[in-house]
Amino acid sequence: MKQFFLTVLGVFTGLILFVVVIPMVLLTVAIAGASSKPETPASAVLELDLREGISDQPSTNPFAAFGGSSLSVLQVVDGLAQAEKDNNVKAVLIRLPEAGMTPATADELRQAIRRFRASGKPVIAHSQGFAPAGAVMSTYMVGASASELWMQNTAGFQATGFSAESLFLGRAFDKYGVRADFEQRYEYKNAVNEYTQSDYTPAHREAMTAWMTSLYDSALANAAQDRKTTPAALKTVIEAGPYSAEQALSNKLIDKIGQVEEAEAEIKRRAGKGAEIVEFGQYVSEKGERTGSGKNAIAIVGGEGAIVTGRGDGGSFGGGSSIHSDDTAGAIYDAIEDKAVKAIVFRVSSPGGSPEASEQILAAVRAAKAAGKPVVVSMGAYAASGGYWVSSEADWIVAQPSTLTGSIGVFGGKFVVADALGRFGVDMRDLTVGGQYADAFSSTQSFTPQQRAAFAGSMDRIYDDFITRVATGRKLEPARVREIAKGRVWTGAQALPLGLVDQLGGLTEAVAKAKALAKIPAGESVRFKHFPKSKSPWEALSEMFGVQSEAAQALVMLGGVMADPQAQALMQRVEGERMRSEGAVVLADQPMF
């Protein structure tokens, strides 16, 4: 009877997919085809709207559009590089978010904007205010890189520093009888602290203050350079705020006050008669990825999100991204087999995850090097913990000054909730067959001394393995690695003098280094090959039939609620907790910017 109902459910789900989903996809494609223009207007102004958020890399999910997917950093970098040489593109208008943005993302956007401006084309950035939220100085830094920075008349300039909040559950757990039974290696591996403490530990405060200061100083220095002042002078003015739009103008923090419609009119005037506004996403879609030219190719292998074992199904509508070890390792091996590929740029934007998955990917990096194909890692927003593990043995590592990296450490454990549930009349009991470690992760009781010794030993082994890989890859003494490890997060600017990265910059600098390592002359053109290849919606749909859980998930996630930033942040946190419970023990904190 159960199988009968499952079969009926499968047939019903299939009918829904054919009757609802496929027509929706066809309609979307038809509308897009009818509304898109085959060519960029003769006088175009690209409008880059950053208010909806921005990922690091283009989604490989064929249904990403249904989840409200936005542009990625790499698409913006690629699009601006093409627009720089496109005679039809005359200027760019940027819509800035009011709150903070990921600092390393801001670094890469700033660099791309400056390269575009170097072609002689103007850029106007427009802000509807700078709110005192997160790394808002990074948002201001992007605005400062434009030819002119405008602000709405009623907006406030409240970018006066950098703040971050941490949630501690230690007292609540004590009050309600929950025991967080964890091991961490070592004192800077702060993910455990939110469960065990009620305030920052000295190590937690030290590390967090250090990287926040690094991010703040870097944003100030870059903004000061672009505003043609000194970091000290800009810092004095910034920290004396907040300001009204008029006060911000008088303090030379912005260039002009006006509505966005006025900014659009001005940038169109500069672009020339008949200028039209073109959405940046539309331009990128029409132009496609840069393919380059020449007999030699550079492989761009992408990986964004938490690192997990297995393959990605590519079948959910929207949702976050993960680095699946089979897919990413397979992409590197595909690049190895491609005879045209002379070097690999591995773009990593990850807070880490599973040590087993990380090691599988690192083994593919080793294989590439053994095959004579240099590997250059380009670090995105995060390349910490497992994200650093997969990067550690590359030939060269390029990071943004504001990339969060390092976190060479490990943690793990469990929550004992039997007492807490007992207060509500819910009784948990445990039955075990087998060895004494079989119930080590039971939620009914704390580790026994023997179990803790065994578990602590596994944490030590993972930590030692991590140290060994970093020492080998970075050509550092293990003792030195242990000094700078301990789970501590560093910014790219801090990591450079420590030897954890080799160069500051973004994808452009990583590609240049890959060419040099492959002994391709600097002036010679190369082709770009992107791995892994994303599936088409049709391929993904065909794989979904007969798998009831995936089909149901696809239908549920069609709702626009998944596009809401707060919902995505919550899902990211839930996903992190799920991963931790399943053994993601080389996972770093992810600050919300």
Side-chain angles (χ1 to χ4, degrees), residues 271-353:
K273 187 176 180 180
E276 299 179 41
I277 298 286
V278 176
E279 290 185 6
F280 200 92
Q282 177 186 329
Y283 179 78
V284 167
S285 178
E286 289 173 359
K287 299 295 286 187
E289 293 176 330
R290 276 184 299 172
T291 55
S293 61
K295 63 179 181 178
N296 296 317
I298 300 292
I300 310 294
V301 177
E304 180 176 9
I307 303 172
V308 297
T309 56
R311 294 185 175 91
D313 59 18
S316 63
F317 288 80
S321 58
S322 297
I323 299 176
H324 290 85
S325 58
D326 284 9
D327 294 341
T328 304
I332 295 173
Y333 285 118
D334 287 344
I336 294 171
E337 294 299 319
D338 191 323
K339 293 182 179 179
V341 170
K342 304 304 178 185
I344 298 170
V345 172
F346 183 18
R347 176 73 174 200
V348 179
S349 188
S350 171

Side-chain angles (χ1 to χ4, degrees), residues 14 20 28 52 64-65 78 87 104 110 113 118 135 171 237 264 337 359 402 459 477 484 486 557:
V20 178
T28 302
E52 294 300 316
D78 194 67
N87 291 331
R110 172 182 178 266
I113 292 166
R171 287 197 307 120
V237 173
E264 287 178 345
E337 294 299 319
E359 180 65 13
S402 299
M459 293 289 99
E477 289 296 324
I484 58 179
K486 302 179 182 179
M557 297 185 86

Side-chain angles (χ1 to χ4, degrees), residues 136-157:
V136 69
M137 279 302 301
S138 295
T139 303
Y140 177 66
M141 180 187 74
V142 172
S145 68
S147 312
E148 286 186 4
L149 175 55
W150 290 43
M151 198 161 82
Q152 188 171 306
N153 61 317
T154 56
F157 191 100

Side-chain angles (χ1 to χ4, degrees), residues 35 94 416 466-467:
S35 61
I94 300 173
V416 181
F466 204 163
I467 295 294

Side-chain angles (χ1 to χ4, degrees), residues 197-360:
Q197 306 295 323
S198 60
D199 197 355
Y200 297 102
T201 64
H204 192 173
R205 186 180 298 276
E206 174 197 352
M208 196 164 175
T209 302
W211 63 251
M212 286 176 65
T213 301
S214 179
L215 297 181
Y216 181 48
D217 290 347
S218 178
L220 277 172
N222 289 332
Q225 180 183 2
D226 293 334
R227 298 297 299 174
K228 296 179 175 54
T229 185
T230 66
L234 180 61
K235 182 177 182 180
T236 298
V237 173
I238 286 284
E239 294 183 358
Y243 301 110
S244 65
E246 290 78 8
Q247 290 170 326
L249 180 63
S250 66
N251 279 289
K252 300 182 179 179
L253 294 171
I254 62 173
D255 297 295
K256 195 160 184 179
I257 296 172
Q259 299 293 332
V260 67
E261 290 78 11
E262 296 175 273
E264 287 178 345
E266 174 60 18
I267 198 71
K268 287 168 69 175
R269 184 191 67 77
R270 296 192 192 187
K273 187 176 180 180
E276 299 179 41
I277 298 286
V278 176
E279 290 185 6
F280 200 92
Q282 177 186 329
Y283 179 78
V284 167
S285 178
E286 289 173 359
K287 299 295 286 187
E289 293 176 330
R290 276 184 299 172
T291 55
S293 61
K295 63 179 181 178
N296 296 317
I298 300 292
I300 310 294
V301 177
E304 180 176 9
I307 303 172
V308 297
T309 56
R311 294 185 175 91
D313 59 18
S316 63
F317 288 80
S321 58
S322 297
I323 299 176
H324 290 85
S325 58
D326 284 9
D327 294 341
T328 304
I332 295 173
Y333 285 118
D334 287 344
I336 294 171
E337 294 299 319
D338 191 323
K339 293 182 179 179
V341 170
K342 304 304 178 185
I344 298 170
V345 172
F346 183 18
R347 176 73 174 200
V348 179
S349 188
S350 171
S354 160
E356 291 76 21
S358 300
E359 180 65 13
Q360 181 183 353

